[in-house]
Amino acid sequence: LFFLTIMGAQGSKDRVSKADVEFLMMNTRYDEKTIQEWYKGFMSDCPDGKLNTTAFMKIYSKCFPSGNAKEFCDHVFRTFDSDKNGFIDFKEFLLAIDVTSSGSPEEKLNWAFSMYDVDGNGWIDLGEMTNIVKSIYKMMGPNQARTDKLDTPEKRAEDIFRRMDIDSDGRVTRQEFVRCCLNDCHLLELLAPNTRL
């Protein structure tokens, strides 16, 4: 995963507390040694133990040098920041990294749903879907625009939304989102890349 290589290998900080190690071992797929390695990298880049939006953007945008990742980063940051306090601490960081890199398809899709549900009301509306799809297009840069000459982000979002809104109530629930992505490999790759069934 890109964060492991990007997040510093410069010098070490204190170790993760025993309670946090136990919590992370129970809630991720990592062993104590791996947790401590992630922690060293995290603390070398975030000495105060807090990853803010600016630092997150700087790290994340390295993965998409040809595009503008700011809007998409804002969505990813919001989803990582589970307690909504404006920064990502080490536990939030490692929990999110674990799900996005090692989680089951259902776990990854549930995480992705949380990112698409911008207002946190438990469903995705067409406006939320359109905002996220636009931010993906911006992040992918000119190459994505060439690939989809006939397909604007708005048209793509509307098509996705129509396929997912199974009961046509103007809302995509978590269950509809997950079920639809699991049954449509093209949607799965578009909305939750690197998720394999």
Side-chain angles (χ1 to χ4, degrees), residues 2-19:
F2 66 89
F3 275 109
L4 186 58
T5 55
I6 294 172
M7 293 208 61
Q10 321 143 339
S12 66
K13 300 287 178 185
D14 298 326
R15 296 171 61 82
V16 183
S17 75
K18 188 162 180 57

Side-chain angles (χ1 to χ4, degrees), residues 2-3 17 39 42 67 82 87 95 132 134 143 171:
F2 66 89
F3 275 109
S17 75
Y39 185 72
F42 184 86
S82 57
F87 63 85
L95 288 168
I132 298 281
K134 280 181 171 178
N143 294 337
R171 301 173 176 179

Side-chain angles (χ1 to χ4, degrees), residues 75-94:
H75 293 299
V76 175
F77 185 90
R78 175 183 39 78
T79 310
F80 271 52
D81 182 17
S82 57
D83 63 6
K84 308 298 178 222
N85 64 358
F87 63 85
I88 300 167
D89 64 28
F90 179 68
K91 285 197 309 191
E92 289 171 320
F93 174 78
L94 202 59

Side-chain angles (χ1 to χ4, degrees), residues 52-62 68-70 73:
N52 64 32
T53 54
T54 305
F56 185 80
M57 170 69 183
K58 189 174 165 189
I59 293 165
Y60 204 91
S61 60
K62 288 179 185 176
N68 179 352
K70 183 185 182 338
C73 281

Side-chain angles (χ1 to χ4, degrees), residues 16 31 43 45-46 66 83 103 106 135 141 147 165 187 190 197:
V16 183
D31 61 18
M43 292 305 292
D45 286 337
C46 309
S66 66
D83 63 6
E106 289 84 0
S135 70
T147 304
D165 187 13
L187 269 184
L190 179 69
L197 298 176

